[in-house]
Amino acid sequence: DTAVSQTPKYLVTQMGNDKSIKCEQNLGHDTMYWYKQDSKKFLKIMFSYNNKELIINETVPNRFSPKSPDKAHLNLHINSLELGDSAVYFCASSQGPNEKLFFGSGTQLSVL
Amino acid sequence: GQQLNQSPQSMFIQEGEDVSMNCTSSSIFNTWLWYKQDPGEGPVLLIALYKAGELTSNGRLTAQFGITRKDSFLNISASIPSDVGIYFCAGQPMFSGGYNKLIFGAGTRLAVHP
């Protein structure tokens, strides 16, 4: 059973398109995150939700809009995709906002 | 912003050798975590450290939370081929408002030659 699952695994799209990445966790955790990993493997937090409420928003362009319909799901919608958005996006969850993270397997986004 | 300096950047070792990597910061951290990432997968937690001076083992892995709260190291003993991957340190800054703003190091890429 996958603890943190995200779809799709790979996403290839044209510049200017709008796309979404979905994430679900079955760990019963209260807090979920989106991280971006660039081509040099550097991981940086983008957003965090605790019980469906946004608690961290790390200077991410407003083309990126997270949505948490319930505490087990955190989706990421990206408008007007740009070349620089190409990266691997990881969803993660934790028991609380100050606990260790469990990561999904990532979504590799390629913008052409 | 805050940064973690992780070294070495990469290592190429023989099977059976011991490995050591570390992370340092200019600011104080409450928590240090060590993750491993395999190709095409997300980071997997190896060891979590919560107190200055804490030394914790997980099988062949040992990690320590530095006394100054500004550094941590990870040792792998008797390396095997499946140890190959990227190892990340991550720290929770002391003044992060109580929220999980883990800062990650740039990673240590480990290659093990059989």
Side-chain angles (χ1 to χ4, degrees), chain A residues 74-88:
Chain A
L74 180 62
N75 304 322
L76 183 65
H77 188 76
I78 315 170
N79 287 328
S80 304
L81 278 156
E82 300 177 357
L83 293 176
D85 296 333
S86 296
V88 182

Side-chain angles (χ1 to χ4, degrees), chain A residues 48-69:
Chain A
S48 176
Y49 272 71
N50 186 51
N51 276 319
K52 304 193 297 175
E53 185 179 334
L54 180 68
I55 57 173
I56 296 175
N57 182 343
E58 286 292 295
T59 323
V60 178
N62 56 16
R63 297 182 295 104
F64 289 79
S65 51
K67 281 190 173 52
S68 182

Side-chain angles (χ1 to χ4, degrees), chain A residues 9-10 31 33 35 37 39-45 48 50 55-56 58 88 90 94 96-106, chain B residues 2-4 30-31 33 35 37 39-45 48 50 86 88 92 96 98-107 109:
Chain A
K9 176 75 173 170
Y10 301 97
T31 312
Y33 311 79
Y35 274 78
Q37 188 173 46
S39 58
K40 294 184 179 178
K41 304 297 185 184
F42 185 66
L43 273 161
K44 189 172 181 186
I45 190 168
S48 176
N50 186 51
I55 57 173
I56 296 175
E58 286 292 295
V88 182
F90 285 101
S94 63
N98 207 19
E99 300 289 328
K100 51 198 174 193
L101 301 183
F102 293 83
F103 285 87
S105 58
Chain B
Q2 290 170 316
Q3 288 187 328
L4 291 181
N30 278 334
T31 305
L33 305 172
Y35 285 85
Q37 185 176 18
E41 297 295 329
V44 174
L45 183 66
Y50 298 104
I86 304 177
F88 291 99
Q92 172 80 325
S96 58
Y99 294 132
N100 206 340
K101 286 190 179 182
L102 278 185
I103 297 172
F104 281 79
R109 289 142 183 79

